[in-house]
Amino acid sequence: MHIEIDVKMNYRLGADRAALLTLEVAENTEGQRILSDNLEIADATVTRIAGEAGVGQRVWAALATEEMRLSYTAQIEVTRGAVALESFDAAPIHALPPEALTFLRPSRLVQSDMFGPFVARRFAGLEGGAKVAAISDWVRRSMAYGAFGSTQATTALDTFAARQGVCRDFVHVVCALVRAANIPARYVAAYGPDVDPPDFHAVAQVWLGGAWQLVDATGLCAPETLAVIAVGRDAGDTAFMETTDAAQFLSQSVQVSRRPAPARP
Amino acid sequence: MHIEIDVKMNYRLGADRAALLTLEVAENTEGQRILSDNLEIADATVTRIAGEAGVGQRVWAALATEEMRLSYTAQIEVTRGAVALESFDAAPIHALPPEALTFLRPSRLVQSDMFGPFVARRFAGLEGGAKVAAISDWVRRSMAYGAFGSTQATTALDTFAARQGVCRDFVHVVCALVRAANIPARYVAAYGPDVDPPDFHAVAQVWLGGAWQLVDATGLCAPETLAVIAVGRDAGDTAFMETTDAAQFLSQSVQVSRRPAPARP
Amino acid sequence: MHIEIDVKMNYRLGADRAALLTLEVAENTEGQRILSDNLEIADATVTRIAGEAGVGQRVWAALATEEMRLSYTAQIEVTRGAVALESFDAAPIHALPPEALTFLRPSRLVQSDMFGPFVARRFAGLEGGAKVAAISDWVRRSMAYGAFGSTQATTALDTFAARQGVCRDFVHVVCALVRAANIPARYVAAYGPDVDPPDFHAVAQVWLGGAWQLVDATGLCAPETLAVIAVGRDAGDTAFMETTDAAQFLSQSVQVSRRPAPARP
Amino acid sequence: MHIEIDVKMNYRLGADRAALLTLEVAENTEGQRILSDNLEIADATVTRIAGEAGVGQRVWAALATEEMRLSYTAQIEVTRGAVALESFDAAPIHALPPEALTFLRPSRLVQSDMFGPFVARRFAGLEGGAKVAAISDWVRRSMAYGAFGSTQATTALDTFAARQGVCRDFVHVVCALVRAANIPARYVAAYGPDVDPPDFHAVAQVWLGGAWQLVDATGLCAPETLAVIAVGRDAGDTAFMETTDAAQFLSQSVQVSRRPAPARP
């Protein structure tokens, strides 16, 4: 699938005039290919560094002025296919590669250490991909999707009690429950054309069958439609913009669409 | 029902040689009558003060020695009958008496403010006693009962994630969910002959039909078998023993039994 | 001292058209006398119930329309004098009356159970009023006063880490530290003419010398200038307005002033 | 400095008969050299994987029996010298390498996001190494060192309130405050001969002068005496032993000593 991304952002930065931006589609991740992309930030010096876990890249923008005017456009070919989670085995924990072991750990916003007994009983008898699929289904059925007031400080534990939230809250709960089942799970920032209204999206990746498999418990986006930006232990690792002093929102739009198939002669 | 209570406690107190004891059956609560009781603490001066919310009484024991040797025996007639929760209406919130309004609030161990959306959706369409009964059933079905390692610091939120605990943990979750439904709920320390192994017990009271109704989501004890000791916002208000310096456990036994019916001629 | 209070509030209530208002000056509290007062709520039926701990009164307003237009005016004579905290002894814990014992407990927003070792070491060697005065001084010196973004959910523990906040945050930290010193402390909603800009205010009350003594760690208001509204375990017990469905802010003003001394002939 | 390490551990593992062990001195970290080492685990198959952040190695032990009998001995030459923290500049945040940026983030046990305002005010005017040194001094002066009951679940926020703990608690508070100053800080498991009684130790590493500098706020160990085992976001990343089912402690000893200088002829 080909998807088109068009992001426009205007923020007034503080005196530091600097921002760390995690919004470019990852260049080096399986299942997607960048056909073309272009990041323009007016009056800025741009430096790229690797993303968390070596996935994708982040941009440090140092501005000559306080107002940041940013445009990012990209044409992406998503080459990964549909994923049947149930078909995958989980690796025995002692066979996990170190980069997966990291994502078994609880993190600031994902207190997976608190859900062990619940997961052991509620999903008893299931293993591997079947267990992850059951967890994802349970989250989708149990939670209401919407902007009910969760914030950057809202944790998986908070959301598990309130049972509502936006995509980031869904991912945090999925990661909490999957890690509690001793299966690595990480947070993924992504673009998807089926997010409505269009916005930055988040899904989970779980380590099954020797690779990271995408899981969207909101039910909004199929893996074969997602362009991955970055990964992390939780949303705190992948914020689309971070600044060291307070930034003022001016305007922002995120457009993601399927590129129409070329007309056939 | 007549029940017999026999408590023996031995603790080595710290230098303060003082303890606040909340273990006598409440004298002034509906549905129970003290036929006889006797609290003996060797070498101690005893002062009684009222319990929280005016229910029952607490004992300050000031000891001449560091070792506290306590015996409490009581014969109680429980006169309250079985309760059909579903038959009760909840009071409109503006018609609550102030002493009930207090128990709508979140407390240290009962973060009822975090469960509003979950309760509104999961128990939608139910009101009053039917809603409380559904909550109590849900807690009983969802939680495993046992000594899995919860502590005095374990909160309703912790337990809601782990879905396991002892009686105090069950009560905390019930209070969290019922308060989130705008129905007053409080923590009750009690004796019940059907607790196995015998120990101090805890249940909830909810304000329905203009009175406090007992609810035991563990399913262990029917209201008509319980002797109430004290009430509070959560377990922190009703600890059976509190000391200002560290106390050392020596031995303790709690026996609660149905008194055999008198032989008929 | 005579003080004048003038509150105007306009809110659009939800479908329940009901609000619990805790904003009238307490009628039955030592150190203050109501010379005159008047609460007017357009198109509303008003019911009064006692405040928490029997201090003051709360008003249930049931409205005929969704818009609540409220006016509260009062003339208060504050008769309490200046308080020298250092002059008071703390009661031995076993001599506390039950109504004070309640306010030794941690509460939802005041995790006093977590500060024991810090208080024991930092304020070692001090007792009673001298200890409370040292705690209040420490809070004033350690914290920055201002609207930095604390919310209704901000706890004493959060504030102790951030070291900044508004009056309610100061009170929560004072209550946490004073309770950790085994001295009862409660949250007090009040009016004070020296709050700038004028607004609802909050201070602490500590149980010293056999009575509740006012303490304002912000340094804004002396006890002899405060008109007490209500008390509670923390801010959650004394919100000036509570509604069961979402209310929309329209306008609000709080004016509190010293009444000019009468002209002398 | 040459140091000798001798660890003996006996645990009864659960049915999984597997343990992840993070106790070997890191092979690939600057400032230390392994002269010889030997890990023996009776009846076990051993697999090594890289440590977090690529520092050191972890061992998966799969046992033929339930009882794990482990011996680890090592001779280490510590080649790093004394560190004068004050002499180092902090990197501008936009010049941080990605592997350091990771350690600016809050983590499960280190809620650095909550301490920003406190750090900004309390350590105002200081930068880089001078700021880190001031934070480390503040932690040492403010906290009591000892086994007061902190657990694996104790967080930096808990410890900041209680102001007491063991080495891991000191490290968590240092990491929270240093990260809040926008300087990367990570948790380091280590051996040090000056820990008394001998045990596994923990210190912090901060990113200053383009490298990771060791900081021990307990004051127990100088950097030039430490043998680093592993690093992580907090203690949860570097536990010396992890098992998927409950393990039973049988015995354990950790001996770390300076190797006597060779006798001179």
Side-chain angles (χ1 to χ4, degrees), chain A residues 18 20 47 49-52 58 60 62 93-99 101-103 105-108 110-114 153 182 232-234 236-238 242 244, chain D residues 18 20 47 49-52 58 60 62 93-99 101-103 105-108 110-114 153 182 232-234 236-238 242 244:
Chain A
L20 179 64
T47 312
I49 60 171
E52 283 289 332
R58 292 170 282 192
W60 270 110
I93 194 170
H94 60 266
L96 290 173
E99 65 270 21
L101 201 53
T102 297
F103 296 101
R105 308 293 186 193
S107 59
R108 177 67 177 97
V110 176
Q111 304 99 329
S112 48
D113 49 309
M114 301 183 68
N182 285 322
R233 293 202 183 186
D234 56 41
D237 281 344
T238 67
E242 293 174 274
T244 52
Chain D
L20 179 63
T47 313
I49 60 172
E52 283 289 332
R58 292 170 281 193
W60 270 110
I93 194 169
H94 60 266
L96 290 173
E99 66 271 21
L101 202 52
T102 297
F103 296 100
R105 308 294 187 193
S107 59
R108 177 67 177 96
V110 177
Q111 305 97 331
S112 48
D113 50 306
M114 301 184 69
N182 284 322
R233 293 201 184 188
D234 57 41
D237 281 344
T238 67
E242 293 174 273
T244 51

Side-chain angles (χ1 to χ4, degrees), chain B residues 209-245:
Chain B
W212 290 107
Q213 312 294 344
L214 290 162
V215 178
D216 184 354
T218 65
L220 291 174
C221 295
E224 57 271 32
T225 69
L226 287 163
V228 170
I229 300 167
V231 306
R233 294 201 184 187
D234 56 40
D237 281 345
T238 67
F240 69 83
M241 181 175 77
E242 293 174 273
T243 57
T244 52
D245 44 16

